[in-house]
Amino acid sequence: MEKKLIHGETLGELEGAVVAMGQPKFRAKQVADWLYKKRACSWAEMTNLPVEFREKLEDEYVFCSTVPIKIHKSQDTTRKYLMQLGDGSLVETVSLWAPDVEDETGFGRVTVCLSTQVGCAYGCNFCASGLSGFKRNLEAGEIVDQLLTVATDIEKESGKTDRFPIDNIVVMGMGEPLANYQNLIQALTIINSDWGLRFGARRITVSTSGLVPEIEKLADEKIQFRLAISLHGTTNEVRNQIMPINRKYPLEKLFPAIKQYSEKRGRMITLEYILIRDLNDSLSQAQQLAKIAHYLHAHVNLIPCNKVESLSWIAPMPAVQKQFIGFLKSANVSATIRLEKGDPIAAACGQLSFKTKVG
Ligand code: SAH
Ligand code: SF4
């Protein structure tokens, strides 16, 4: 029997499993407490569980499915973890530290960017994740384990264990999260639940290239995550050139789904807009983007395109970027821009730059 991932199980599933092992149901809550409240790193630490029960758990479950085989640190603010999964596949998890945004502990704010698939089937032609195609969906436990592995690494380095060291989660790493819908929701449920990590849904953002039926489904989920849409083009003509998904779900289908989402949730969504030289950086497109942002009641996050080896798109000149955001602001659009090209944060999320070959 293939082992399951312990961090991919809900409390209800754990209860079923412990009862099947001949244990009382309350043991499931004890296991969950060890996993998420005390954040145990091994079965051996779970000292209030009978030894034979721990051995059974070990026979049936993998404790941690993500091994950080390489950690790339840049300027002390960004860390890219190359995670090896059980089958040898590689994904990237990124942590971004914003030291200037102080929280009450004076430690700064940490955001973690999670991957949801090995590769990506959507083939946006500015993105490194889709370059080698789609391999497989991540399991829920593999998504949760990325977060726990990064948290443990941060704690090891800071020496602080008084609180969970991560403040925000963005699901913007490798893959299209809404194409792995069930495992995504299962993982985020474990992260959000009272019996799990108790991580607030408002601090979790899911980014999608625009899968309309799944956006509609997400609007009805119990847990209220934040939503970011990778827009990148204000017309079908431009979007078709860079995002093949737009042929299936063009803007006239996408916008009503986004509008419905934000109306049901009663909160602003974010439009991600990669600025690409001579493609989507003109003033008329800024005007169109402002109209869309007002219509959808959305915040705009501009991202100067990062050059991906073998792909031809590049960012506009800084003056053009400035003009673009300047226009949005003068049109009363809530807008931010990621810092200059070469900035470690700009280069961090959504683009996989590790080139390690394993084996
Ligand atoms: N598949 C989802 C989430 C992963 S992509 C989505 O498309 O939204 C995460 C983010 O990284 C997206 O906003 C994506 O557009 C951005 N990204 C990908 N390639 C990039 C590049 N070359 N330069 C800047 N941002 C990029
Ligand atoms: Fe996939 Fe998102 Fe990259 Fe498009 S931008 S190829 S959907 S990961």
Side-chain angles (χ1 to χ4, degrees), residues 34 62 73-74 79 92 94 142 150 236 238 242 251 257 271:
W34 278 111
V62 172
K73 299 179 182 180
S74 103
R79 231 153 260 202
E92 193 170 301
V94 179
E142 292 172 322
V150 172
N236 285 328
V238 171
I242 50 174
L251 297 177
L271 298 173

Side-chain angles (χ1 to χ4, degrees), residues 117 119-131 172-177 207-209 230 232 242-243 245 274 350:
Q117 298 185 311
C120 183
Y122 289 85
C124 303
N125 68 17
F126 48 80
C127 173
S129 295
L131 277 180
M172 290 189 186
M174 187 186 253
E176 169 47 55
S207 174
T208 178
S209 57
S230 290
H232 312 324
I242 50 174
M243 300 180 76
I245 183 82
I274 299 183

